[in-house]
Amino acid sequence: MYLLYGALILAMLFFLVLPITDARTARMKLSVVGSLGALLAVSVLLPRLIH
């Protein structure tokens, strides 16, 4: 599980450091980082809720 968490965090950091060149890029970064953050939150909380 820690490998999954690390991969999600690295992907989020990668998209955070991309340069913003226009409004479309900013929206893309926001949506990708938000989606990855939601996926990370679900992957952390779901196993705890099942037990």
Side-chain angles (χ1 to χ4, degrees), residues 3 8 10 15 22 28 38 43 45 48:
L3 186 62
L8 287 172
L10 284 176
F15 281 100
D22 58 359
M28 183 268 307
S43 68
L45 292 177
R48 296 174 196 265

Side-chain angles (χ1 to χ4, degrees), residues 13-32:
L13 289 174
F14 171 75
F15 281 100
L16 281 175
V17 298
L18 286 176
I20 296 176
T21 56
D22 58 359
R24 191 177 76 182
T25 307
R27 284 193 310 265
M28 183 268 307
K29 281 179 63 169
L30 182 62
S31 66
V32 167

